[in-house]
Amino acid sequence: MIAENATTPVLEARQVRKTYRRGAIATEVLKGVDLTVARGEFLSVVGASGSGKSTLLHVLGTLDQADGGEVRLDGERIDNAGARRRDRLRNQAFGFIFQFYHLLPELSALENVLTPLYISSSAWAWPFRRADAVRRARALLERVGLGHRLDHKPRELSGGEMQRAAIARALISGPRVLLADEPTGNLDEDAGAEIARLLRALNAEEGLTIIMVTHNLDMARSTDRVVRLTHGRVDLSPTVLGNRPAPGGHHSPNDGDDRLSLERRPASMAVLGAGASPPAHPEVFGVGHFPQR
Amino acid sequence: MYKLVLCWRYLKTRYLALVCVVSVMLGVATLIVVNSVMGGFSAKLRDRLHGLLSDIVLEAYDFDGFADPEGKMRRIMEDPLLAREVVAMSPTLEIFAMLQFQFRDTPVTKPVRLVGIDPPTRSAVGGFSEYLTDPARRDKPGFWMDQAARDRFERQKRPEPLVFTPLGGADEPPPPEAPTPTPKTTQGAILGYAIAHFRDRQAKAEDGASRDRRTLQPGDEVVLTTVSGAKLAPVYDRFAVVDYFRSEMSEYDSQFIFVPLEHLQKLRSMEGRVTSIQVRLRDYDRAPAVVARLKEIFVRDSLDVQTWEEKQGAVLAAIRVEKGILNILLFLIIAVAGFGILAIFSMIVVEKTRDIGILKSLGASNWGVLQIFIAYGLLLGLVGAALGTLMGLAITVNINEIEHFLARATGQDIFPRDVYYFDRIPTEIQPLAIGLVNLGSVGIAVLFSILPALRAAMLHPVRALRFE
């Protein structure tokens, strides 16, 4: 690990721009996004469809390249890195989880978790690394509660189980930041809550930095900070919502929900720009409860 | 590492890819079988074309031949280079002729090529005694008749003994002893096997194997008519069949008749003259040098010096061309398999688009993804080629059994044995050809997987992940 200054943000985006072109039509998805993520922070990014949340996540994770602006990881610029370095960053510095899990169907749960190590290891070195790698993968799968399904193929797993395998895969290389793109978007409520709890626990117990794009406002509320994107810009200064809980004082999605929602509701309202009267029930916000695709 | 894991998994789980394997396999197997059989045929044909011909032939331009073969052979052996290279020589007199004999009381006439030879030296030159059907004659080549033939010959020559019935009294003097017929010494002739036999197709239908019926037994008398060498006049003589010559080259077996050289010289009144000298070399690879030297020595004589390959040049060239063209045409089979790989790989790339995005999100490089698909193509090619080689070799080794089975199953004679006089389909397994076929097919498999692999490698990770 790089020697880190405690005050350096783990990930920092400055005036990030991204334009997609389809033929003659250019769509500016990100119009100068500023974002700072502290170490150990659990940040959620919300916004309407097409507001650029996923694109931001991809740009942060070097899966896509920005057209302008800067992205820094532990103070080092990564947005202009070469293909080789970006590949290595994705392999080691970032862990991705996706709405559709994106496990490789030919491989078992264990092998899927091992894939990032497969990629980073040469065929010659693998036999020497294998035992250690398998031990780590097993431990991770047990950590996410899949210890009993090591050799199952993705099609033999439920959605929640697949997502847990995907989380284990994202963690195997010991990433500095976990990037989650609507991790519960394709799951039913219970399974989604499970995943939310798991992410929360990973953040709390292992100090994992998580950036999560979500439609689920309940879930967003359970994070340390909510960033809202509207039309390619950060809509609200993060500090408005940024009531970081005291260390160790993380909330489970339900615990303290009232307090948080009371605190946040007015801000969220502004962000959402939805109606004048506060909804009677948080569910009303929950447009994102349902799968978006 | 992941490249190998994924290739192997894809190979095991994509049944579509097995189609590629099968198409490569069939192409390789076909090429190997065709090559082996063609190789076998051409080796056998070369063998037989060489058969009667010695390594090098010194030949007169016309049927009058040239004089003093002994002197010429002496001159050859006096040359240091030739003395080292030449193992054996034999003078030969060759002429067209007409054969006549009686078969079941009907006269039969056939055009033949009459060859006067000196059995010991001709055998030393090669391509003669090993083709004789009588095993005893192979060890002791010549025109001698064995006892059975002699008996048959004499029985046919001797007139029915007269039976005298005594008339009257016993005092009558006994009739004079009937003179014992002394058959005039008749020269032996060795006939081409096909001249003295015909194939009985009825017999074949009964017991499965073809059967040759003999029209001339050893000891039977034949008449050979040819032209005199001195003046334009027909000459003829009677000969006794002593043996058959079977080179399995139907052109030779149906035309050649061997008779003693000296007798043929006498018959054609051209004593001391021959039409050719057959030469056998120690090492055929040095034939060009020997031919050049011979041409130098006999530059003043009107002699043509040729190797057997030059004499059979047209046929050998035809075989070579045939084989080359067949190989090119058959390689198209593998090219077709290649296009199959291209199509199927393109489908797999589309199908795997999301997985490619996943791999890239996990840090796989473009080059790595490219390698997966090229390695996949290589693997398919290798597996296909290996299976194809096994299959091709299995078919080649058992081709006769397969042919028998097919002939029985379909009722069609796939390989009529009388066309070539082969009993079995000849095959020759050529390791070099098999190696090239394998290399070519694996190369094509890799070549045709490059395009889809490039497409996969160039996929944008985000777009690949979003692909549905």
Side-chain angles (χ1 to χ4, degrees), chain B residues 164-179:
Chain B
F164 291 95
T165 351
L167 302 164
D171 54 338
E172 203 161 322
E177 281 291 304

mmCIF file with all atom_site columns, all heavy atoms in Angstrom, chain B residues 164-179:
data_model
loop_
_atom_site.group_PDB
_atom_site.id
_atom_site.type_symbol
_atom_site.label_atom_id
_atom_site.label_alt_id
_atom_site.label_comp_id
_atom_site.label_asym_id
_atom_site.label_entity_id
_atom_site.label_seq_id
_atom_site.pdbx_PDB_ins_code
_atom_site.Cartn_x
_atom_site.Cartn_y
_atom_site.Cartn_z
_atom_site.occupancy
_atom_site.B_iso_or_equiv
_atom_site.pdbx_formal_charge
_atom_site.auth_seq_id
_atom_site.auth_comp_id
_atom_site.auth_asym_id
_atom_site.auth_atom_id
_atom_site.pdbx_PDB_model_num
ATOM 1   N N   . PHE B 1 164 ? -0.860 -101.226 -84.365 1.00 0.00 ? 164 PHE B N   1
ATOM 2   C CA  . PHE B 1 164 ? -0.929 -102.207 -85.455 1.00 0.00 ? 164 PHE B CA  1
ATOM 3   C C   . PHE B 1 164 ? -1.715 -103.423 -85.025 1.00 0.00 ? 164 PHE B C   1
ATOM 4   O O   . PHE B 1 164 ? -1.469 -103.982 -83.957 1.00 0.00 ? 164 PHE B O   1
ATOM 5   C CB  . PHE B 1 164 ? 0.483  -102.634 -85.869 1.00 0.00 ? 164 PHE B CB  1
ATOM 6   C CG  . PHE B 1 164 ? 1.233  -101.516 -86.537 1.00 0.00 ? 164 PHE B CG  1
ATOM 7   C CD1 . PHE B 1 164 ? 2.080  -100.706 -85.811 1.00 0.00 ? 164 PHE B CD1 1
ATOM 8   C CD2 . PHE B 1 164 ? 1.063  -101.296 -87.905 1.00 0.00 ? 164 PHE B CD2 1
ATOM 9   C CE1 . PHE B 1 164 ? 2.765  -99.679  -86.424 1.00 0.00 ? 164 PHE B CE1 1
ATOM 10  C CE2 . PHE B 1 164 ? 1.750  -100.261 -88.508 1.00 0.00 ? 164 PHE B CE2 1
ATOM 11  C CZ  . PHE B 1 164 ? 2.605  -99.445  -87.782 1.00 0.00 ? 164 PHE B CZ  1
ATOM 12  N N   . THR B 1 165 ? -2.642 -103.790 -85.841 1.00 0.00 ? 165 THR B N   1
ATOM 13  C CA  . THR B 1 165 ? -3.347 -105.044 -85.569 1.00 0.00 ? 165 THR B CA  1
ATOM 14  C C   . THR B 1 165 ? -2.718 -106.109 -86.464 1.00 0.00 ? 165 THR B C   1
ATOM 15  O O   . THR B 1 165 ? -2.697 -105.953 -87.684 1.00 0.00 ? 165 THR B O   1
ATOM 16  C CB  . THR B 1 165 ? -4.839 -104.918 -85.916 1.00 0.00 ? 165 THR B CB  1
ATOM 17  O OG1 . THR B 1 165 ? -5.116 -103.541 -86.203 1.00 0.00 ? 165 THR B OG1 1
ATOM 18  C CG2 . THR B 1 165 ? -5.696 -105.390 -84.769 1.00 0.00 ? 165 THR B CG2 1
ATOM 19  N N   . PRO B 1 166 ? -2.152 -107.101 -85.858 1.00 0.00 ? 166 PRO B N   1
ATOM 20  C CA  . PRO B 1 166 ? -1.513 -108.136 -86.685 1.00 0.00 ? 166 PRO B CA  1
ATOM 21  C C   . PRO B 1 166 ? -2.535 -108.786 -87.620 1.00 0.00 ? 166 PRO B C   1
ATOM 22  O O   . PRO B 1 166 ? -3.647 -109.109 -87.206 1.00 0.00 ? 166 PRO B O   1
ATOM 23  C CB  . PRO B 1 166 ? -0.975 -109.136 -85.652 1.00 0.00 ? 166 PRO B CB  1
ATOM 24  C CG  . PRO B 1 166 ? -1.282 -108.556 -84.302 1.00 0.00 ? 166 PRO B CG  1
ATOM 25  C CD  . PRO B 1 166 ? -2.153 -107.384 -84.449 1.00 0.00 ? 166 PRO B CD  1
ATOM 26  N N   . LEU B 1 167 ? -2.161 -108.945 -88.882 1.00 0.00 ? 167 LEU B N   1
ATOM 27  C CA  . LEU B 1 167 ? -3.033 -109.588 -89.883 1.00 0.00 ? 167 LEU B CA  1
ATOM 28  C C   . LEU B 1 167 ? -2.477 -110.990 -90.143 1.00 0.00 ? 167 LEU B C   1
ATOM 29  O O   . LEU B 1 167 ? -1.272 -111.170 -90.219 1.00 0.00 ? 167 LEU B O   1
ATOM 30  C CB  . LEU B 1 167 ? -3.050 -108.799 -91.189 1.00 0.00 ? 167 LEU B CB  1
ATOM 31  C CG  . LEU B 1 167 ? -3.514 -107.329 -91.075 1.00 0.00 ? 167 LEU B CG  1
ATOM 32  C CD1 . LEU B 1 167 ? -3.114 -106.573 -92.330 1.00 0.00 ? 167 LEU B CD1 1
ATOM 33  C CD2 . LEU B 1 167 ? -5.018 -107.308 -90.898 1.00 0.00 ? 167 LEU B CD2 1
ATOM 34  N N   . GLY B 1 168 ? -3.280 -111.865 -90.256 1.00 0.00 ? 168 GLY B N   1
ATOM 35  C CA  . GLY B 1 168 ? -2.834 -113.185 -90.641 1.00 0.00 ? 168 GLY B CA  1
ATOM 36  C C   . GLY B 1 168 ? -2.035 -113.874 -89.567 1.00 0.00 ? 168 GLY B C   1
ATOM 37  O O   . GLY B 1 168 ? -2.226 -113.653 -88.353 1.00 0.00 ? 168 GLY B O   1
ATOM 38  N N   . GLY B 1 169 ? -1.050 -114.669 -90.002 1.00 0.00 ? 169 GLY B N   1
ATOM 39  C CA  . GLY B 1 169 ? -0.328 -115.564 -89.102 1.00 0.00 ? 169 GLY B CA  1
ATOM 40  C C   . GLY B 1 169 ? 0.748  -114.861 -88.334 1.00 0.00 ? 169 GLY B C   1
ATOM 41  O O   . GLY B 1 169 ? 1.078  -113.702 -88.541 1.00 0.00 ? 169 GLY B O   1
ATOM 42  N N   . ALA B 1 170 ? 1.275  -115.639 -87.395 1.00 0.00 ? 170 ALA B N   1
ATOM 43  C CA  . ALA B 1 170 ? 2.304  -115.115 -86.529 1.00 0.00 ? 170 ALA B CA  1
ATOM 44  C C   . ALA B 1 170 ? 3.644  -115.065 -87.220 1.00 0.00 ? 170 ALA B C   1
ATOM 45  O O   . ALA B 1 170 ? 4.592  -114.476 -86.716 1.00 0.00 ? 170 ALA B O   1
ATOM 46  C CB  . ALA B 1 170 ? 2.399  -115.951 -85.251 1.00 0.00 ? 170 ALA B CB  1
ATOM 47  N N   . ASP B 1 171 ? 3.698  -115.728 -88.428 1.00 0.00 ? 171 ASP B N   1
ATOM 48  C CA  . ASP B 1 171 ? 4.988  -115.763 -89.109 1.00 0.00 ? 171 ASP B CA  1
ATOM 49  C C   . ASP B 1 171 ? 5.294  -114.465 -89.834 1.00 0.00 ? 171 ASP B C   1
ATOM 50  O O   . ASP B 1 171 ? 6.376  -114.248 -90.347 1.00 0.00 ? 171 ASP B O   1
ATOM 51  C CB  . ASP B 1 171 ? 5.021  -116.932 -90.095 1.00 0.00 ? 171 ASP B CB  1
ATOM 52  C CG  . ASP B 1 171 ? 3.846  -116.896 -91.073 1.00 0.00 ? 171 ASP B CG  1
ATOM 53  O OD1 . ASP B 1 171 ? 2.813  -116.227 -90.716 1.00 0.00 ? 171 ASP B OD1 1
ATOM 54  O OD2 . ASP B 1 171 ? 3.953  -117.474 -92.146 1.00 0.00 ? 171 ASP B OD2 1
ATOM 55  N N   . GLU B 1 172 ? 4.289  -113.679 -89.858 1.00 0.00 ? 172 GLU B N   1
ATOM 56  C CA  . GLU B 1 172 ? 4.539  -112.395 -90.542 1.00 0.00 ? 172 GLU B CA  1
ATOM 57  C C   . GLU B 1 172 ? 5.600  -111.609 -89.770 1.00 0.00 ? 172 GLU B C   1
ATOM 58  O O   . GLU B 1 172 ? 5.608  -111.613 -88.540 1.00 0.00 ? 172 GLU B O   1
ATOM 59  C CB  . GLU B 1 172 ? 3.251  -111.566 -90.558 1.00 0.00 ? 172 GLU B CB  1
ATOM 60  C CG  . GLU B 1 172 ? 3.261  -110.556 -91.675 1.00 0.00 ? 172 GLU B CG  1
ATOM 61  C CD  . GLU B 1 172 ? 1.870  -110.056 -92.008 1.00 0.00 ? 172 GLU B CD  1
ATOM 62  O OE1 . GLU B 1 172 ? 0.913  -110.875 -91.975 1.00 0.00 ? 172 GLU B OE1 1
ATOM 63  O OE2 . GLU B 1 172 ? 1.736  -108.853 -92.263 1.00 0.00 ? 172 GLU B OE2 1
ATOM 64  N N   . PRO B 1 173 ? 6.463  -110.972 -90.462 1.00 0.00 ? 173 PRO B N   1
ATOM 65  C CA  . PRO B 1 173 ? 7.513  -110.252 -89.735 1.00 0.00 ? 173 PRO B CA  1
ATOM 66  C C   . PRO B 1 173 ? 6.923  -109.090 -88.933 1.00 0.00 ? 173 PRO B C   1
ATOM 67  O O   . PRO B 1 173 ? 5.937  -108.491 -89.330 1.00 0.00 ? 173 PRO B O   1
ATOM 68  C CB  . PRO B 1 173 ? 8.436  -109.727 -90.852 1.00 0.00 ? 173 PRO B CB  1
ATOM 69  C CG  . PRO B 1 173 ? 7.567  -109.683 -92.062 1.00 0.00 ? 173 PRO B CG  1
ATOM 70  C CD  . PRO B 1 173 ? 6.548  -110.801 -91.910 1.00 0.00 ? 173 PRO B CD  1
ATOM 71  N N   . PRO B 1 174 ? 7.528  -108.839 -87.803 1.00 0.00 ? 174 PRO B N   1
ATOM 72  C CA  . PRO B 1 174 ? 7.010  -107.721 -86.987 1.00 0.00 ? 174 PRO B CA  1
ATOM 73  C C   . PRO B 1 174 ? 7.187  -106.392 -87.709 1.00 0.00 ? 174 PRO B C   1
ATOM 74  O O   . PRO B 1 174 ? 8.143  -106.222 -88.471 1.00 0.00 ? 174 PRO B O   1
ATOM 75  C CB  . PRO B 1 174 ? 7.879  -107.780 -85.718 1.00 0.00 ? 174 PRO B CB  1
ATOM 76  C CG  . PRO B 1 174 ? 9.112  -108.506 -86.123 1.00 0.00 ? 174 PRO B CG  1
ATOM 77  C CD  . PRO B 1 174 ? 8.761  -109.422 -87.267 1.00 0.00 ? 174 PRO B CD  1
ATOM 78  N N   . PRO B 1 175 ? 6.262  -105.487 -87.443 1.00 0.00 ? 175 PRO B N   1
ATOM 79  C CA  . PRO B 1 175 ? 6.370  -104.185 -88.136 1.00 0.00 ? 175 PRO B CA  1
ATOM 80  C C   . PRO B 1 175 ? 7.602  -103.434 -87.634 1.00 0.00 ? 175 PRO B C   1
ATOM 81  O O   . PRO B 1 175 ? 8.068  -103.668 -86.513 1.00 0.00 ? 175 PRO B O   1
ATOM 82  C CB  . PRO B 1 175 ? 5.099  -103.451 -87.713 1.00 0.00 ? 175 PRO B CB  1
ATOM 83  C CG  . PRO B 1 175 ? 4.701  -104.084 -86.441 1.00 0.00 ? 175 PRO B CG  1
ATOM 84  C CD  . PRO B 1 175 ? 5.169  -105.508 -86.492 1.00 0.00 ? 175 PRO B CD  1
ATOM 85  N N   . PRO B 1 176 ? 8.146  -102.631 -88.499 1.00 0.00 ? 176 PRO B N   1
ATOM 86  C CA  . PRO B 1 176 ? 9.341  -101.900 -88.071 1.00 0.00 ? 176 PRO B CA  1
ATOM 87  C C   . PRO B 1 176 ? 9.007  -100.977 -86.880 1.00 0.00 ? 176 PRO B C   1
ATOM 88  O O   . PRO B 1 176 ? 7.893  -100.499 -86.728 1.00 0.00 ? 176 PRO B O   1
ATOM 89  C CB  . PRO B 1 176 ? 9.724  -101.087 -89.307 1.00 0.00 ? 176 PRO B CB  1
ATOM 90  C CG  . PRO B 1 176 ? 8.471  -100.969 -90.097 1.00 0.00 ? 176 PRO B CG  1
ATOM 91  C CD  . PRO B 1 176 ? 7.660  -102.214 -89.809 1.00 0.00 ? 176 PRO B CD  1
ATOM 92  N N   . GLU B 1 177 ? 9.999  -100.816 -86.045 1.00 0.00 ? 177 GLU B N   1
ATOM 93  C CA  . GLU B 1 177 ? 9.827  -99.930  -84.886 1.00 0.00 ? 177 GLU B CA  1
ATOM 94  C C   . GLU B 1 177 ? 9.402  -98.544  -85.352 1.00 0.00 ? 177 GLU B C   1
ATOM 95  O O   . GLU B 1 177 ? 9.954  -97.997  -86.314 1.00 0.00 ? 177 GLU B O   1
ATOM 96  C CB  . GLU B 1 177 ? 11.175 -99.820  -84.135 1.00 0.00 ? 177 GLU B CB  1
ATOM 97  C CG  . GLU B 1 177 ? 11.490 -100.996 -83.237 1.00 0.00 ? 177 GLU B CG  1
ATOM 98  C CD  . GLU B 1 177 ? 10.582 -101.084 -82.031 1.00 0.00 ? 177 GLU B CD  1
ATOM 99  O OE1 . GLU B 1 177 ? 10.509 -100.073 -81.269 1.00 0.00 ? 177 GLU B OE1 1
ATOM 100 O OE2 . GLU B 1 177 ? 9.926  -102.130 -81.842 1.00 0.00 ? 177 GLU B OE2 1
ATOM 101 N N   . ALA B 1 178 ? 8.401  -98.022  -84.654 1.00 0.00 ? 178 ALA B N   1
ATOM 102 C CA  . ALA B 1 178 ? 7.994  -96.657  -85.002 1.00 0.00 ? 178 ALA B CA  1
ATOM 103 C C   . ALA B 1 178 ? 9.130  -95.714  -84.600 1.00 0.00 ? 178 ALA B C   1
ATOM 104 O O   . ALA B 1 178 ? 9.699  -95.847  -83.517 1.00 0.00 ? 178 ALA B O   1
ATOM 105 C CB  . ALA B 1 178 ? 6.735  -96.276  -84.236 1.00 0.00 ? 178 ALA B CB  1
ATOM 106 N N   . PRO B 1 179 ? 9.512  -94.801  -85.490 1.00 0.00 ? 179 PRO B N   1
ATOM 107 C CA  . PRO B 1 179 ? 10.638 -93.915  -85.136 1.00 0.00 ? 179 PRO B CA  1
ATOM 108 C C   . PRO B 1 179 ? 10.256 -93.014  -83.950 1.00 0.00 ? 179 PRO B C   1
ATOM 109 O O   . PRO B 1 179 ? 9.203  -92.396  -83.947 1.00 0.00 ? 179 PRO B O   1
ATOM 110 C CB  . PRO B 1 179 ? 10.854 -93.082  -86.396 1.00 0.00 ? 179 PRO B CB  1
ATOM 111 C CG  . PRO B 1 179 ? 9.553  -93.118  -87.117 1.00 0.00 ? 179 PRO B CG  1
ATOM 112 C CD  . PRO B 1 179 ? 8.878  -94.426  -86.746 1.00 0.00 ? 179 PRO B CD  1
#
